[in-house]
Every structure is written in C-alpha cells, then in structure tokens.
Amino acid sequence: MFEFMKTFTVRANYECRKDGILPGYLGSTIRGILGHCIRETYCQEKDKKCFLCERREDCMYVRCFNNTGGEAGAVNPYNIYVHGQGKEKWEKGDTCVFDLTLLGTATEYAEVYLAALIDAEKKGWGAARLPFRLIHVTDSKSGKMLYARGKSWLHNLNPTILSIEERNASYACINFDTPLRIVSSGKLLRNLPFDVLIQFLSRRMSLITQKYTDVCLEWDTEMMLQQAAQIRIADESWREVPFSRYSINQKTGKLELDAIFGWVLYEGDLSCFVPLLEAGKYVHIGKGATIGFGHYEVFYDS
C-alpha cells in the first residue's frame, strides 16, 4: 500500500565522555544538535528566520530539517527515536543509541544527515554541554557500517521502500514507549479511541506523502473513520507524564508539553487497518513526532 514511500533508518552510537545530567527524553536535545550542525553548513542567511528568508525554497537546511510550511504544513521528513528513554544521570563511558529515520525525498540527502551526525560530536549536549564521541553509525535494517573512526561507507546509504504485508487481525495491542501527545481542541487526550488513532495517523501519513513524495493519497476519510469507530477498546492503561523542552520562544525558556504513556488493546475487524498501523511505526503519531514522541510497537493475534 505504501511502496511509493522510501525510508532509511540509521542507528547512531555515541559514548559519553564526562559525568553529568541530561533530560530524560533526549530526542529534543539530539534534534537541536543536528539542526545546528546542518544549519551551520548550509544556511547563508543566519540572521533571518527561515520563514522570512527569500532563499528558503532552495535551502538544504529547510529542505532536510526545518520545513517552514506550505500546502502540507510544517511537517518534516524525519524522526528520532532514542533507545533507553528516561535516563538522566550519565557517566563517562555510557553509550547513547538512537535511530534517525528518513522518509520520502529525505532519503536522497542521507549524506547530509550523516555529516550532521559526525559533526554532532563537536557539540556539547544539553545545558551541561556534555561531550559525546561518535563510535559508529550503521544501517539499522541491514547492519552495514556507514561511519566509524573517521571512515565513511557512503555506498551503504541505500534506502528501501516501505513494504508492508497485509494480515488478518481481530486484536491489536499498541504499546507506546515514548510520550504520546494527541491534542484535540487544544486539550491533551488522556486515552486513545481507535477512530482518533486512525484520524491522526492517516492525517500525518497524508501530509508526509504530499510533501515528500510524488503521490497524493486519497482516503475515503468518512468511511474509514466510520469503520474505525466500530473497533472497541478491550483493555488499556495510561499515565500522565510531564515533559518540557528548551524553547527560545518562551519567556521562561521552557515549553511545557504534557503527555501520556501507556498501552491499549483493540478488538474488532482490524485487518484493513493493519497497513496504516504498520506505517505508523515509521512515521510516529501525534505532536513531537520528530523528537521521538508517539513511537509504538504493535502486536496482533494472528
């Protein structure tokens, strides 16, 4: 169903070089570091905001990292998933492992992202500016090396298509292992009815497809949501988690982003929704997807 979408996930391994404290969810920190690295390399108007810059249409930083809007909104063609979420106390020798997933046309600029990962070890991480050394970067799917000890294997930068097998399913258990932020009418949802999941997931997939592929998805949204409304919640467990990240646009310097953690077991005729649920594992769902929010695993009864 989504074979038109190219995807490529690189896995980066860094070693902490000094004891210190970092935020429990490092996706925002890592995104900021990579953004600085790409901007320093490609931005020619560093004193201007991207959305005000006349060069934005041809800027590699905007194209790869900081989409300023348009018909598809400000959706970006990548996301970050940090393994071992929740760790705050770091000691020298600890390793940080995270995945950077590229979607659609972003896969054509994989070298740009790889260069940013290499440059990231020159930056201090977090408010404490902890130093990290890049150990290696690999293709998370094939395991092939992309970078280690100053050597790059650019011929291994090979994206794949988003190939998803159909399957019959009457039960699906979705486990969110990063914060989930689904906001409707300005309010954070405290649970996740299936039709809401499908509404937000299909919307995100449509925006990414529109902006970063040459395909325009045409959903029968009304019928799809009617079918989704028939899926029941068999069991669920949620808890609220506070989250904040640094923001220069806030007076306090912090942006508060409350979220929920948990899992939900759905019951019903889920077979037609399996491709979208599987695609969601790559694109994530909800706000903060680029920094790793809304990442989930899904398990079926067959």
Side-chain angles (χ1 to χ4, degrees):
M1 182 176 181
F2 300 112
E3 285 79 6
F4 58 83
M5 176 78 75
K6 291 183 179 180
T7 183
F8 187 53
T9 298
V10 301
R11 181 162 295 168
N13 286 253
Y14 290 83
E15 180 184 46
C16 183
R17 305 300 295 159
K18 182 181 177 181
D19 297 355
I21 303 296
L22 288 173
Y25 304 104
L26 274 176
S28 179
T29 300
I30 292 169
R31 180 184 184 276
I33 293 169
L34 296 180
H36 279 299
C37 292
I38 295 176
R39 192 169 190 270
E40 288 173 1
T41 301
Y42 293 101
C43 177
Q44 300 181 40
E45 300 285 351
K46 294 182 173 59
D47 59 335
K48 292 183 179 180
K49 298 287 186 180
C50 291
F51 68 93
L52 295 175
C53 182
E54 61 274 11
R55 296 176 180 265
R56 65 183 180 274
E57 297 299 328
D58 299 315
C59 177
M60 190 66 73
Y61 172 65
V62 171
R63 182 177 301 165
C64 291
F65 204 82
N66 191 38
N67 174 31
T68 58
E71 289 185 23
V75 64
N76 285 300
Y78 64 89
N79 58 59
I80 295 164
Y81 171 67
V82 184
H83 296 257
Q85 296 277 358
K87 180 180 175 64
E88 295 182 350
K89 184 179 179 180
W90 289 78
E91 297 180 357
K92 183 178 179 181
D94 287 349
T95 57
C96 175
V97 181
F98 65 87
D99 293 344
L100 174 64
T101 297
L102 310 181
L103 302 163
T105 55
T107 61
E108 300 171 12
Y109 306 105
E111 287 186 43
V112 173
Y113 297 93
L114 180 60
L117 291 169
I118 296 170
D119 289 343
E121 68 175 351
K122 303 173 185 176
K123 305 289 185 181
W125 292 28
R129 296 293 185 264
L130 294 186
F132 278 77
R133 180 174 72 92
L134 181 58
I135 303 171
H136 56 72
V137 183
T138 60
D139 177 341
S140 72
K141 188 173 183 179
S142 69
K144 292 182 179 180
M145 298 287 293
L146 303 176
Y147 174 86
R149 294 182 61 84
K151 179 176 177 59
S152 297
W153 290 268
L154 300 182
H155 62 276
N156 287 334
L157 294 172
N158 297 314
T160 59
I161 61 173
L162 188 55
S163 179
I164 297 172
E165 293 184 6
E166 297 183 2
R167 63 195 300 170
N168 295 321
S170 298
Y171 287 87
C173 186
I174 298 183
N175 179 45
F176 289 90
D177 58 358
T178 65
L180 171 66
R181 279 178 51 80
I182 300 291
V183 178
S184 179
S185 300
K187 295 182 179 181
L188 175 71
L189 297 188
R190 263 62 183 185
N191 70 343
L192 193 58
F194 192 73
D195 56 339
V196 174
L197 168 67
I198 294 302
Q199 176 187 354
F200 280 84
L201 191 54
S202 61
R203 174 65 173 167
R204 177 161 170 76
M205 195 67 186
S206 293
L207 292 178
I208 292 174
T209 298
Q210 180 179 346
K211 180 67 177 179
Y212 300 107
T213 76
D214 56 3
V215 172
C216 182
L217 284 174
E218 295 183 359
W219 309 97
D220 187 340
T221 304
E222 184 177 353
M223 178 175 291
M224 181 168 57
L225 294 182
Q226 286 177 356
Q227 289 179 300
Q230 303 303 309
I231 305 299
R232 301 171 297 281
I233 293 178
D235 200 359
E236 61 183 332
S237 178
W238 302 100
R239 62 185 175 90
E240 295 183 30
V241 290
F243 178 82
S244 63
R245 68 175 178 85
Y246 172 73
S247 174
I248 61 175
N249 297 318
Q250 303 296 313
K251 292 182 179 179
T252 62
K254 286 186 176 181
L255 179 62
E256 301 296 332
L257 300 171
D258 289 342
I260 58 175
F261 257 118
W263 57 267
V264 55
L265 176 64
Y266 296 113
E267 178 185 6
D269 187 2
L270 291 152
S271 301
C272 64
F273 295 106
V274 167
L276 186 55
L277 294 178
E278 289 295 304
K281 296 194 298 186
Y282 293 86
V283 304
H284 300 192
I285 180 176
K287 292 183 175 293
T290 54
I291 62 173
F293 282 16
H295 176 274
Y296 65 80
E297 294 293 334
V298 58
F299 309 94
Y300 307 97
D301 62 317
S302 63

